[in-house]
Protein backbone atom coordinates (compact mmCIF):
# COMPACT_ATOMS: atom_id res chain seq x y z
CA UNK A 1 0.00 0.00 0.00
CA UNK A 2 1.17 3.54 -0.65
CA UNK A 3 2.32 5.47 2.38
CA UNK A 4 2.32 9.16 3.24
CA UNK A 5 5.69 10.87 3.16
CA UNK A 6 7.16 12.39 6.30
CA UNK A 7 7.54 16.17 6.44
CA UNK A 8 11.24 15.87 5.65
CA UNK A 9 10.61 13.50 2.73
CA UNK A 10 7.89 15.65 1.16
CA UNK A 11 9.94 18.83 1.48
CA UNK A 12 13.04 17.19 -0.02
CA UNK A 13 10.94 15.76 -2.86
CA UNK A 14 9.36 19.15 -3.61
CA UNK A 15 12.79 20.84 -3.52
CA UNK A 16 14.04 18.68 -6.40
CA UNK A 17 13.86 20.28 -9.87
CA UNK A 18 10.58 18.89 -11.17
CA UNK A 19 8.07 20.54 -13.44
CA UNK A 20 5.05 21.32 -11.30
CA UNK A 21 1.41 21.30 -12.30
CA UNK A 22 -0.29 24.43 -10.98
CA UNK A 23 -4.05 24.49 -10.39
CA UNK A 24 -6.19 27.48 -9.55
CA UNK A 25 -9.94 28.02 -9.34
CA UNK A 26 -11.46 29.00 -12.67
CA UNK A 27 -14.05 31.63 -13.41
CA UNK A 28 -17.61 30.80 -12.25
CA UNK A 29 -18.99 27.99 -14.40
CA UNK A 30 -15.55 27.01 -15.74
CA UNK A 31 -13.19 24.25 -14.72
CA UNK A 32 -10.07 25.04 -12.70
CA UNK A 33 -7.06 26.11 -14.71
CA UNK A 34 -4.31 23.48 -14.61
CA UNK A 35 -0.95 24.13 -16.27
CA UNK A 36 2.68 23.00 -16.04
CA UNK A 37 5.04 25.49 -14.42
CA UNK A 38 8.60 25.93 -13.23
CA UNK A 39 8.93 26.67 -9.53
CA UNK A 40 11.49 27.10 -6.76
CA UNK A 41 11.27 25.66 -3.25
CA UNK A 42 13.63 25.13 -0.34
CA UNK A 43 12.60 22.90 2.59
CA UNK A 44 10.73 24.83 5.25
CA UNK A 45 10.13 27.80 2.95
CA UNK A 46 7.56 29.15 0.55
CA UNK A 47 7.00 28.14 -3.07
CA UNK A 48 7.84 30.62 -5.84
CA UNK A 49 6.41 30.37 -9.33
CA UNK A 50 7.15 32.76 -12.16
CA UNK A 51 4.70 33.84 -14.80
CA UNK A 52 3.82 36.76 -17.01
CA UNK A 53 1.50 39.48 -15.75
CA UNK A 54 -1.88 39.69 -17.43
CA UNK A 55 -2.20 35.99 -18.29
CA UNK A 56 -5.40 34.17 -17.36
CA UNK A 57 -3.35 32.11 -14.90
CA UNK A 58 -2.07 35.25 -13.18
CA UNK A 59 -5.52 36.88 -13.06
CA UNK A 60 -7.07 33.74 -11.58
CA UNK A 61 -4.36 33.45 -8.92
CA UNK A 62 -4.86 37.11 -8.03
CA UNK A 63 -8.65 36.61 -7.79
CA UNK A 64 -8.44 33.39 -5.75
CA UNK A 65 -5.56 34.51 -3.56
CA UNK A 66 -4.28 30.93 -3.54
CA UNK A 67 -3.28 28.01 -5.76
CA UNK A 68 -2.17 24.39 -5.62
CA UNK A 69 0.93 22.72 -7.01
CA UNK A 70 1.47 19.03 -7.71
CA UNK A 71 4.75 17.30 -8.58
CA UNK A 72 5.30 13.63 -9.27
CA UNK A 73 7.88 11.03 -10.14
CA UNK A 74 6.90 8.33 -12.58
CA UNK A 75 10.30 6.88 -13.41
CA UNK A 76 10.71 3.88 -11.15
CA UNK A 77 8.50 4.02 -8.08
CA UNK A 78 5.52 6.36 -8.27
CA UNK A 79 5.51 9.26 -5.78
CA UNK A 80 3.78 12.60 -5.62
CA UNK A 81 3.44 15.69 -3.48
CA UNK A 82 0.63 18.19 -3.80
CA UNK A 83 0.51 21.36 -1.78
CA UNK A 84 -1.97 24.20 -1.52
CA UNK A 85 -1.82 27.58 0.14
CA UNK A 86 -2.34 31.31 0.05
CA UNK A 87 -0.34 33.79 -1.98
CA UNK A 88 1.81 35.76 0.45
CA UNK A 89 3.66 38.10 -1.91
CA UNK A 90 4.34 39.00 -5.53
CA UNK A 91 6.93 41.18 -7.23
CA UNK A 92 8.45 41.92 -10.65
CA UNK A 93 11.36 39.53 -11.14
CA UNK A 94 14.86 40.61 -11.97
CA UNK A 95 16.80 38.92 -14.74
CA UNK A 96 18.95 37.21 -12.08
CA UNK A 97 15.84 35.80 -10.38
CA UNK A 98 14.46 34.53 -13.69
CA UNK A 99 17.82 32.92 -14.39
CA UNK A 100 17.87 31.23 -10.96
CA UNK A 101 14.55 29.52 -11.75
CA UNK A 102 15.63 28.57 -15.28
CA UNK A 103 18.91 27.16 -13.94
CA UNK A 104 16.94 24.58 -11.91
CA UNK A 105 15.61 23.11 -15.16
CA UNK A 106 18.20 23.81 -17.83
CA UNK A 107 21.92 22.94 -17.98
CA UNK A 108 24.57 25.64 -17.46
CA UNK A 109 24.99 27.71 -20.58
CA UNK A 110 21.53 26.77 -21.82
CA UNK A 111 19.95 28.54 -18.85
CA UNK A 112 22.02 31.66 -19.64
CA UNK A 113 21.01 31.53 -23.30
CA UNK A 114 17.36 30.96 -22.36
CA UNK A 115 17.34 33.93 -19.97
CA UNK A 116 18.96 36.19 -22.59
CA UNK A 117 16.69 34.96 -25.42
CA UNK A 118 13.51 35.49 -23.40
CA UNK A 119 14.26 39.00 -22.15
CA UNK A 120 11.79 40.45 -24.65
CA UNK A 121 8.96 37.99 -23.98
CA UNK A 122 9.52 37.16 -20.29
CA UNK A 123 11.47 40.15 -19.03
CA UNK A 124 8.37 41.40 -17.23
CA UNK A 125 7.73 38.09 -15.43
CA UNK A 126 6.49 38.28 -11.88
CA UNK A 127 7.14 36.05 -8.90
CA UNK A 128 4.12 34.69 -7.08
CA UNK A 129 4.90 33.18 -3.69
CA UNK A 130 2.66 30.66 -1.95
CA UNK A 131 2.92 29.62 1.70
CA UNK A 132 2.33 25.85 1.94
CA UNK A 133 -0.74 25.19 4.05
CA UNK A 134 -2.15 21.77 3.08
CA UNK A 135 -0.08 18.83 1.88
CA UNK A 136 -1.02 15.52 0.28
CA UNK A 137 1.58 12.86 -0.52
CA UNK A 138 1.90 9.29 -1.67
CA UNK A 139 4.94 7.04 -1.96
CA UNK A 140 4.84 3.51 -3.35
CA UNK A 141 8.48 2.72 -2.43
CA UNK A 142 7.56 0.30 0.37
CA UNK A 143 5.21 -1.63 -1.91
CA UNK A 144 7.87 -1.86 -4.62
CA UNK A 145 10.38 -3.20 -2.09
CA UNK A 146 7.90 -5.85 -0.89
CA UNK A 147 7.35 -7.05 -4.45
CA UNK A 148 11.06 -7.07 -5.36
Amino acid sequence: MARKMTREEREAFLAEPRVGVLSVAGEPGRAPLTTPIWYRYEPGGDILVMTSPGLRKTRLIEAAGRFALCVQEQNGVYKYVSVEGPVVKTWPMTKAERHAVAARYLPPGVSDAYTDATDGTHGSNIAIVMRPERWNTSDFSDLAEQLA
Side-chain angles (χ1 to χ4, degrees), residues 58-126:
T58 308
R59 292 190 315 269
L60 290 173
I61 292 170
E62 289 168 350
R66 62 189 309 108
F67 64 91
L69 185 75
C70 182
V71 297
Q72 65 179 357
E73 179 172 320
Q74 26 187 107
N75 297 331
V77 177
Y78 183 73
K79 301 176 185 182
Y80 77 85
V81 169
S82 64
V83 60
E84 171 195 344
V87 172
V88 293
K89 55 186 154 183
T90 63
W91 68 83
M93 295 184 84
T94 65
K95 185 172 185 172
E97 289 171 323
R98 289 187 302 110
H99 180 263
V101 174
R104 282 178 45 90
Y105 297 94
L106 302 171
V110 176
S111 58
D112 297 321
Y114 169 84
T115 306
D116 289 340
T118 59
D119 263 347
T121 55
H122 298 301
S124 63
N125 273 4
I126 60 171

